[in-house]
Amino acid sequence: MNVPMPRLRHPEKSKKADSEIPRKPKWIRRKKIESAEYFETRRLMRDHNLTTVCEEAACPNIGECWSKRHATMMIMGEVCTRGCSFCNVSTGRPDALDAFEPGRVALAVKKLALRHVVITSVDRDDLEDGGAEHIAQTIRAVRHQTPGTTIEVLTPDFLGKGNAAEIVFEAAPDVFNHNLETVPHLYPRVRPGARYYSSLRLLDDAKRANPQVFTKSGLMVGMGETLEDLRQVMDDLRAANVDFLTVGQYLQPTPKHHPIDRFVTPEEFEQIERMARSKGFLGVSATPLTRSSFHADEDFAALKEARNRQLASVNAGGDGTA
């Protein structure tokens, strides 16, 4: 009897040499949190047959977030068409889209009573529109079920998909997020299927399509970048009018993934945050455990408050930088 071989989670990395995963410093380690709310959130995800990036990306903050009934939905399946060297999401040929998924996401958001939801996805280079219409349908479904919930989408880059991103822009999410992930010179090794300036242009296009939308991007550090590299990326993001920047420590998922160059200290993260704020971002989150969707509801509230202060300053005759 032939026993089928198990599907490799990262087939594109199977022939890569292993690199040792260093022991995490004390400021990275987190206590395991498994409250009643945590298990209720997990049950709800299972009951609605939903995938979360919290699990697929092995997020270190899952205990805290799920105990607050905050889960980041990952739509369009759990298999990505890209093979980024930092990412723990499975790579391969995805299944067909599930037409009922947007409705299930909306129902889960309603049951969790979320004031703010983050919806992300795998890359779907196999689809003509990169999954843009499916993302838009999910936004509309959540709005129908819970009109008071604000919606943040963390999208693929839609590289080579023409005007597909405009479909998402027209669905009018409250926050449009696309992560640059790393600095330009590391793209060939870290994001080989992506293009730095295409990702920047996507963020710029989102703001041009709807000046009221909050735009957001994230970086990982500890991959081999320098402080000057980060400074240039911040300048590029501000040139694209990006409102919010997240910066967190890269954590290597397996020995086959991109090796950790170093653990950035909390003091260095404070320096990075000061530098980012000096560039004029409306909001910045820069800590070792910062992730795109971590405390996203609180960050959104802070973004609105910062924009209101900025508008008040302009109306009072200031320059809007207060």
Side-chain angles (χ1 to χ4, degrees):
M1 176 176 162
N2 292 326
V3 178
M5 292 290 291
R7 182 178 64 82
L8 291 174
R9 185 174 181 86
H10 303 290
E12 79 290 352
K13 299 177 179 67
S14 60
K15 295 182 180 180
K16 289 187 175 183
D18 288 357
S19 58
E20 184 179 354
I21 301 177
R23 179 176 171 80
K24 295 175 185 176
K26 61 182 179 181
W27 62 81
I28 290 287
R29 297 174 212 154
R30 301 214 66 174
K31 291 182 179 179
K32 193 172 184 179
I33 303 174
E34 292 187 342
S35 64
E37 292 79 9
Y38 171 93
F39 288 109
E40 174 62 18
T41 301
R42 187 173 70 174
R43 184 193 62 77
L44 197 148
M45 295 300 106
R46 301 293 185 270
D47 288 351
H48 289 79
N49 192 28
L50 295 174
T51 303
T52 69
V53 74
C54 320
E55 295 171 286
E56 296 302 317
C59 180
N61 304 314
I62 186 171
E64 179 179 341
C65 291
W66 282 24
S67 291
K68 294 178 179 178
R69 296 171 65 84
H70 293 167
T72 298
M73 319 293 178
M74 190 173 81
I75 60 175
M76 299 197 288
E78 57 187 35
V79 179
C80 186
T81 55
R82 302 273 176 95
C84 298
S85 68
F86 68 89
C87 186
N88 195 49
V89 174
S90 183
T91 305
R93 179 177 295 177
D95 294 330
L97 290 180
D98 180 351
F100 299 101
E101 184 178 52
R104 294 201 309 275
V105 169
L107 191 56
V109 169
K110 185 176 183 178
K111 289 185 176 180
L112 288 168
L114 295 180
R115 296 173 301 169
H116 184 82
V117 62
V118 182
I119 300 165
T120 187
S121 75
V122 291
D123 277 283
R124 291 298 302 258
D125 295 319
D126 58 313
L127 301 174
E128 187 175 348
D129 69 349
E133 179 57 34
H134 196 81
I135 296 170
Q137 288 176 2
T138 306
I139 294 170
R140 292 192 289 267
V142 172
R143 285 248 164 82
H144 178 74
Q145 282 282 359
T146 55
T149 299
T150 51
I151 301 169
E152 178 174 331
V153 291
L154 173 54
T155 77
D157 57 17
F158 304 112
L159 192 63
K161 302 301 179 181
N163 296 325
E166 292 179 4
I167 297 171
V168 179
F169 302 158
E170 289 170 4
D174 298 280
V175 181
F176 182 88
N177 187 354
H178 175 69
N179 287 337
L180 292 184
E181 306 291 9
T182 190
V183 301
H185 72 84
L186 289 176
Y187 261 57
R189 283 177 284 161
V190 176
R191 292 186 76 199
R195 299 294 179 270
Y196 176 78
Y197 288 105
S198 294
S199 287
L200 265 180
R201 186 165 58 247
L202 175 64
L203 290 159
D204 187 53
D205 288 346
K207 182 66 81 172
R208 290 177 185 272
N210 178 9
Q212 298 306 308
V213 73
F214 289 104
T215 50
K216 180 176 175 180
S217 191
L219 296 168
M220 298 172 293
V221 292
M223 305 186 81
E225 72 294 323
T226 67
L227 195 62
E228 189 54 42
D229 290 333
L230 295 178
R231 192 189 313 276
Q232 183 60 60
V233 172
M234 290 176 191
D235 286 339
D236 291 343
L237 287 169
R238 289 302 299 131
N241 289 310
V242 170
D243 299 301
F244 194 94
L245 175 65
T246 60
V247 185
Q249 172 70 52
Y250 167 61
L251 297 176
Q252 184 179 349
T254 75
K256 298 291 185 183
H257 282 76
H258 186 86
I260 291 179
D261 178 68
R262 69 189 187 94
F263 288 107
V264 179
T265 67
E267 292 75 22
E268 289 175 289
F269 272 103
E270 290 175 4
Q271 181 183 4
I272 291 169
E273 178 168 345
R274 287 194 301 271
M275 183 168 67
R277 291 193 181 280
S278 74
K279 301 292 184 181
F281 289 99
L282 279 181
V284 180
S285 177
T287 72
L289 288 168
T290 289
R291 298 295 183 267
S292 284
S293 56
F294 191 39
H295 296 162
D297 56 339
E298 298 168 20
D299 290 339
F300 180 69
L303 273 176
K304 289 193 294 183
E305 184 179 339
R307 177 177 283 175
N308 289 338
R309 287 198 307 268
Q310 188 180 68
L311 291 173
S313 175
V314 170
N315 292 335
D319 62 4
T321 59

